[in-house]
Amino acid sequence: MEEAKKIVGDIKNKKIAPIYFLMGEEPYYIDRITDYIAKNVLTEEEQGFNQMTVYGKDTTVDEIVSNAKRFPMMAEYQVVIVKEAQHLSRTIEQLAEYAKNPQPTTVLVFNYKYKKLDKRKKVYKEIAKTGIIFESKKLYENQVADWIRRVLSGKGYKITPKAAALLVEFLGTDLSKISNELEKLYLVLKKNTEITADNIETHIGISKDYNNFELKKAVGERNFEKASRIVAYFAQNPKDNPFVVTISLLNNFFIQLLQYHGLTDHSQRNVASSLGVSPYFVKEYQTAAKNYPMKRISGIIAGLRKLDLMGKGLGAQNLSQADLLKELLNTVF
């Protein structure tokens, strides 16, 4: 995030590189930087004659280089954007010669998603000398809630830990998808608002009461009644609450509980750091650890793994999601 901000900041300050090679598993920042360059290096009047977008599957490196060597018309720069550049992965090494001596009046942008250049290759080394190489790495799930908080803070909003956890649970680590949902909140909520689980439910449609987050909490508290209500809701809405996600989350939860029991320092800070969770949720692990001793946890993890295989059709035939969820409750309670 900081590296992306620096690239945008440099462009704002007219410190513009001749080549931007934007690559990696996380498309969010690749698209954001590409869009910023497309909208801000040239004025609207200049873009008509001096900006072009091509697609990797429809062009070649030779054609891109030929376009990049042109001179701008009545402007300081021309901008050439190559989207879906990962389709050029087999021939991208041909770009090395151009990268040695790029046209100083051209801004050449490669939008190279889900792949990255080999640092040992000549093309990587040459671009690194004359241009900018940005690698957009996928965030781990336990990093996404913090990313959401930082993005919202930059927009003038706050968010409760539970609301952030709901977004991560339902949207995963896809930053573009999360960003799109946050845009909905900007439209309806005033700045300086603290976004809550109620806001998430009302404006995004994610239930604040019937979700895996609340199921995990109910299990940790050994609240069978609450867990049963949530499981019944899941059984009635299987498409929105796939069994594979539920069992994966609970399996991870009990593995973390096992790790918790192995810690000698049970302070909030150390538990949060060791388990990779927000300090806000440490209390849940402390409560669950009192309800589930290590020996019991080991048996539950074994049972969940067996149930996971059953959910995938191994060892059981045609079990409905409702039946699987009942077995899940029997396993953890």
Side-chain angles (χ1 to χ4, degrees):
M1 187 172 183
E2 295 305 315
E3 190 180 352
K5 281 184 177 179
K6 184 180 185 307
I7 291 172
V8 169
D10 285 345
I11 295 170
K12 280 183 182 177
N13 295 323
K14 303 301 181 184
K15 186 180 177 183
I16 299 173
I19 302 175
Y20 289 89
F21 204 97
L22 314 173
M23 63 183 191
E25 291 297 319
E26 176 49 64
Y28 176 78
Y29 286 112
I30 294 174
D31 287 336
R32 290 293 292 269
I33 296 171
T34 301
D35 290 345
Y36 185 84
I37 291 172
K39 293 175 182 177
N40 292 279
V41 170
L42 302 177
T43 66
E44 286 187 21
E45 292 77 15
E46 292 171 338
Q47 287 173 16
F49 290 105
N50 296 288
Q51 186 158 301
M52 67 184 304
T53 299
V54 297
Y55 291 83
K57 60 184 177 181
D58 300 323
T59 190
T60 66
V61 173
D62 283 343
E63 289 174 349
I64 293 165
V65 169
S66 177
N67 287 319
K69 286 182 176 179
R70 293 186 310 156
F71 289 96
M73 294 179 62
M74 297 177 290
E76 187 176 358
Y77 295 104
Q78 70 152 340
V79 175
V80 179
I81 297 172
V82 187
K83 291 191 173 182
E84 300 176 6
Q86 66 272 15
H87 290 288
L88 297 166
S89 59
R90 293 182 180 178
T91 57
I92 198 66
E93 189 67 21
Q94 297 171 11
L95 185 65
E97 287 304 311
Y98 174 80
K100 274 186 182 180
N101 187 29
Q103 180 80 321
T105 54
T106 294
V107 181
L108 179 57
V109 183
F110 284 87
N111 192 295
Y112 197 87
K113 296 178 184 176
Y114 314 114
K115 292 186 177 182
K116 57 185 181 179
L117 294 179
D118 187 335
K119 294 182 180 181
R120 299 168 297 180
K121 297 288 187 178
K122 184 178 179 181
V123 66
Y124 182 97
K125 294 175 182 178
E126 295 298 342
I127 296 173
K129 290 176 188 175
T130 58
I132 300 290
I133 295 179
F134 171 75
E135 183 178 352
S136 188
K137 297 180 180 178
K138 201 83 172 172
L139 292 185
Y140 293 111
E141 188 169 313
N142 62 10
Q143 298 174 311
V144 179
D146 185 55
W147 179 86
I148 291 171
R149 282 190 288 272
R150 283 184 286 144
V151 168
L152 287 172
S153 177
K155 296 284 188 177
Y157 295 86
K158 294 180 181 179
I159 188 168
T160 65
K162 180 177 179 179
L166 284 176
L167 287 172
V168 176
E169 181 194 336
F170 278 85
L171 303 174
T173 59
D174 188 329
L175 301 188
S176 296
K177 190 183 293 185
I178 294 171
S179 180
N180 289 338
E181 296 301 327
L182 293 179
E183 291 289 342
K184 297 177 183 177
L185 299 177
Y186 303 150
L187 294 173
V188 294
L189 300 177
K190 294 180 180 178
K191 285 193 175 183
N192 299 317
T193 298
E194 183 174 49
I195 297 166
T196 66
D198 286 331
N199 297 140
I200 299 297
E201 182 174 52
T202 302
H203 302 297
I204 297 180
I206 299 171
S207 173
K208 64 180 174 58
D209 296 316
Y210 297 99
N211 56 70
N212 285 312
F213 168 75
E214 288 297 328
L215 177 60
K216 181 181 71 172
K217 185 177 179 182
V219 168
E221 295 171 348
R222 292 192 65 80
N223 187 335
F224 182 80
E225 184 180 347
K226 181 180 177 181
S228 297
R229 287 199 306 269
I230 295 170
V231 161
Y233 178 86
F234 285 2
Q236 293 171 358
N237 301 274
K239 289 184 179 179
D240 295 331
N241 303 278
F243 180 75
V244 64
V245 174
T246 299
I247 196 164
S248 176
L249 182 139
L250 285 178
N251 185 62
N252 290 337
F253 175 62
F254 280 104
I255 289 173
Q256 288 174 317
L257 268 187
L258 205 58
Q259 294 172 332
Y260 177 91
H261 278 295
L263 297 175
T264 54
D265 179 0
H266 286 144
S267 66
Q268 184 187 59
R269 186 172 185 177
N270 186 61
V271 171
S273 174
S274 300
L275 301 187
V277 300
S278 165
Y280 175 84
F281 298 113
V282 168
K283 189 175 180 180
E284 290 183 16
Y285 289 88
Q286 292 170 337
T287 298
K290 294 175 184 177
N291 291 324
Y292 294 92
M294 289 185 76
K295 187 175 181 180
R296 175 73 176 119
I297 293 172
S298 298
I300 288 173
I301 291 173
L304 289 175
R305 288 177 177 168
K306 182 179 178 181
L307 197 54
D308 181 42
L309 292 175
M310 292 170 65
K312 293 171 181 173
L314 301 175
Q317 291 185 349
N318 300 322
L319 275 184
S320 67
Q321 175 147 319
D323 290 333
L324 288 167
L325 288 167
K326 287 178 185 177
E327 287 298 321
L328 179 65
L329 287 182
N330 291 334
T331 300
V332 300
F333 281 99

